[in-house]
Amino acid sequence: MSSYKSTYTIRSTRSRASRVFDGALSTSHKSSTLQLLATAFPDPEDIVGEQYLRPSECTMGPPTTSREAPEPSQAKNPETKPLLPIQDEGEVFDEPTSTFPQSVFNAVNVLMGLGILSLPYGFKITGWVLGLFMLLVFCLLTRYTAILLRKCLDLDPSMISLSDVGYAAFGNKGRVIMAVLLVTELLAASVALLMVFADSLQALYPALDLNMLKIVGVIFLIPSTWVPLGILAYTSIIGIISTIALVIVVIINGLSTTVSPGSLLNPAPTNLWPTMPMSIPISFGLLMAGFAGHAVLASIYRDMKCPERFPAVLRYSYTITTVIYIVMAGGGYLMFGSSVHHEIIVNLVNNPNYNQFLTRLVVWTVVLNPISKFGLTLNPANLILEVFFSNAPFNLNIRASKVRRIVFRTMLCLFVCLVAILIPGFHRVMALLGSFSCFTISALLPLACHLQLFKEQLGRKQKFLDWTLIIISTILAVVGTVWTFLPTEWIES
């Protein structure tokens, strides 16, 4: 395989894992539920073109894969220079395996992550009006850029990842930038997982030292970076179960008591508008972090049996995710008001009016979340860095033996632990992840690639829209990133 190819696509492992859940719900139930949720967002067909938003139902004849779909005009012209280097003649692509419900499930699983724990705190910063507005805007922005990503992928069937799109648009420079950004995002996500592991255990056992729990946690999690990715893929279901269980328990606890704070029946005082204006830039990343998934959405698209239905996958998955986010953010903010912590699980555990068995059970599922995802999250970063250090002038030849790979991955885990100890709080990590990585990978790069690849075909209105979104996203990303490093005393004054 050509050296430019992405080594971190998880398309195959996700598709294998998705088969486990194929029969979890009846087809009729899934279809009716998704159809009900699908009407939440309109189709922006006047923005990117109807052909990208109103696909065929893929019901006639055998499933059409993206590699069998009609090629754009540039692919039909034999004199047109290919967007990517030509693959070896013997190279074979995996056959797409994901059905429509599986693709929706995988997309929801990608979008719903640890960021949900800090959403109530994000609403505490912004108030109701600005919080709901930002959450919906970020949802629509990332859904729009996901459609643009699909449009770029359709230019060349050999493009299977976001890094391939970057290469097609900006050459080797685009591929390098994409790799750096992806490694940064994955390392930050790994730090967040380790912090959730330690914070959750300390919420259950307050007498334990937080930094010691982080050290114990990384020792416990290091072996998960050594095992094959295929084994870890089957544990990804724990993440979505943990998220859904957390939302359900928050609602149950809120309805089980009338004592405030902590009750939905007797809500705590809240605010329509921000009461801490200096903290607003922190909320940019907290609310954006829940919509980061474009690096994996490309793999989900390429693994669909009916890729023509990808816009519907986006509509359903973003609708489901946004509804859950609003319930979690709004419910948590209503229950605890200005007393809500950076992670809502701290409020749940410390409230004596709740069913402690149920609350502790769901906190333990949150503890299991990092155990199931830590190895999966770090694996792409490990592969990229191993290839880099093996090809660098100071060749370490990491991939020459299994022992060297284990030592390298262990050292990377220890680095993650060090960062987790040095950074003061989980909400800072999520704010940094959302402001820097999510705005860049899920907004700026798809917009920039779209402008570059279609610069001769786009009208003035389309270019104006894309450039406007790039400018706004850049401002939010820069300001939000800078604010994550400012002293707490200053931004919360």
Side-chain angles (χ1 to χ4, degrees):
M1 181 178 292
S2 303
S3 60
Y4 80 93
K5 270 297 180 188
S6 167
T7 59
Y8 45 85
T9 178
I10 61 173
R11 173 166 53 89
S12 298
T13 54
R14 276 197 181 276
S15 62
R16 286 197 298 268
S18 65
R19 297 192 198 107
V20 177
F21 320 112
D22 190 30
L25 296 174
S26 68
T27 302
S28 60
H29 176 74
K30 285 185 284 189
S31 299
S32 60
T33 303
L34 297 177
Q35 186 64 36
L36 178 64
L37 293 171
T39 58
F41 297 112
D43 287 333
E45 58 190 37
D46 56 333
I47 298 177
V48 297
E50 186 174 1
Q51 68 271 28
Y52 288 100
L53 292 164
R54 295 200 179 279
S56 66
E57 292 300 319
C58 193
T59 56
M60 300 296 293
T64 302
T65 69
S66 58
R67 297 166 184 79
E68 298 169 346
E71 300 287 341
S73 57
Q74 77 162 54
K76 294 178 180 179
N77 186 354
E79 298 181 357
T80 301
K81 183 179 179 180
L83 291 172
L84 299 178
I86 299 175
Q87 288 82 22
D88 299 333
E89 292 183 0
E91 186 171 2
V92 179
F93 289 105
D94 294 336
E95 284 296 320
T97 59
S98 294
T99 63
F100 176 77
Q102 288 173 335
S103 299
V104 172
F105 178 88
N106 286 335
V108 172
N109 192 20
V110 167
L111 292 172
M112 285 200 304
L114 296 176
I116 196 171
L117 298 175
S118 294
L119 287 179
Y121 181 73
F123 269 39
K124 171 188 172 181
I125 295 174
T126 61
W128 285 104
V129 176
L130 185 59
L132 285 171
F133 174 76
M134 289 172 57
L135 199 64
L136 292 176
V137 166
F138 293 159
C139 169
L140 295 175
L141 169 65
T142 52
R143 178 175 176 244
Y144 171 68
T145 56
I147 294 171
L148 297 185
L149 175 61
R150 182 256 179 127
K151 185 178 176 182
C152 294
L153 288 169
D154 283 346
L155 282 176
D156 190 333
S158 66
M159 291 195 290
I160 62 175
S161 69
L162 195 54
S163 65
D164 292 343
V165 176
Y167 184 94
F170 303 105
N172 190 62
K173 177 174 61 176
R175 178 173 59 87
V176 172
I177 292 174
M178 181 59 63
V180 171
L181 290 172
L182 185 63
V183 169
T184 303
E185 179 184 22
L186 294 173
L187 290 177
S190 301
V191 171
L193 287 168
L194 182 58
M195 295 181 78
V196 165
F197 180 89
D199 291 347
S200 302
L201 286 178
Q202 191 186 47
L204 294 171
Y205 307 102
L208 298 178
D209 180 72
L210 184 60
N211 289 335
M212 183 57 65
L213 287 174
K214 292 176 182 178
I215 295 173
V216 173
V218 78
I219 294 174
F220 186 76
L221 295 172
I222 281 175
S224 67
T225 65
W226 302 341
V227 300
L229 189 62
I231 297 176
L232 296 174
Y234 293 99
T235 66
S236 62
I237 183 62
I238 297 176
I240 196 168
I241 290 177
S242 171
T243 303
I244 295 175
L246 179 63
V247 176
I248 293 175
V249 168
V250 167
I251 296 174
I252 292 176
N253 283 340
L255 296 174
S256 65
T257 180
T258 58
V259 179
S260 183
S263 173
L264 285 173
L265 303 176
N266 183 23
T270 57
N271 300 287
L272 285 176
W273 301 99
T275 57
M276 298 186 298
M278 289 300 298
S279 298
I280 292 178
I282 292 290
S283 67
F284 298 162
L286 293 178
L287 299 181
M288 181 65 171
F291 299 106
H294 287 49
V296 182
L297 288 178
S299 298
I300 292 175
Y301 173 54
R302 285 305 191 204
D303 196 54
M304 290 184 64
K305 290 182 178 179
C306 296
E308 296 86 354
R309 303 194 68 187
F310 183 69
V313 169
L314 293 178
R315 187 191 308 171
Y316 295 136
S317 58
Y318 270 87
T319 301
I320 294 170
T321 302
T322 304
V323 169
I324 292 176
Y325 283 171
I326 292 176
V327 170
M328 186 65 177
Y333 186 41
L334 274 176
M335 290 164 61
F336 299 104
S338 60
S339 64
V340 67
H341 283 261
H342 301 149
E343 297 173 69
I344 194 172
I345 56 175
V346 177
N347 295 95
L348 298 178
V349 173
N350 293 336
N351 194 313
N353 301 307
Y354 293 156
N355 183 319
Q356 288 302 305
F357 172 78
L358 187 63
T359 301
R360 288 179 173 269
L361 181 63
V362 76
V363 173
W364 274 110
T365 66
V366 174
V367 173
L368 291 177
N369 200 348
I371 296 176
S372 66
K373 287 188 174 182
F374 190 80
L376 277 171
T377 302
L378 263 186
N379 185 74
N382 285 327
L383 293 175
I384 295 171
L385 292 175
E386 286 168 7
V387 171
F388 171 76
F389 284 112
S390 295
N391 294 332
F394 46 91
N395 186 358
L396 301 180
N397 205 17
I398 295 171
R399 301 183 65 81
S401 70
K402 186 175 182 180
V403 174
R404 293 185 184 182
R405 289 198 300 271
I406 289 177
V407 171
F408 177 80
R409 295 184 178 196
T410 302
M411 293 177 63
L412 191 61
C413 291
L414 295 177
F415 171 77
V416 168
C417 180
L418 178 63
V419 175
I421 292 174
L422 295 177
I423 294 181
F426 171 78
H427 70 294
R428 293 295 187 103
V429 177
M430 294 310 303
L432 178 62
L433 185 63
S435 296
F436 178 73
S437 299
C438 299
F439 270 110
T440 304
I441 295 178
S442 298
L444 292 174
L445 284 175
L447 288 166
C449 291
H450 180 245
L451 285 169
Q452 177 67 16
L453 292 173
F454 293 89
K455 57 185 176 182
E456 303 297 334
Q457 306 170 28
L458 299 179
R460 290 184 178 180
K461 291 183 179 180
Q462 177 75 63
K463 291 182 178 179
F464 176 79
L465 173 62
D466 287 359
W467 275 113
T468 301
L469 293 176
I470 286 177
I471 293 172
I472 295 175
S473 298
T474 301
I475 294 173
L476 294 178
V478 172
V479 175
T481 300
V482 171
W483 246 248
T484 60
F485 296 99
L486 296 180
T488 302
E489 299 78 13
W490 190 63
I491 64 176
E492 294 188 357
S493 60

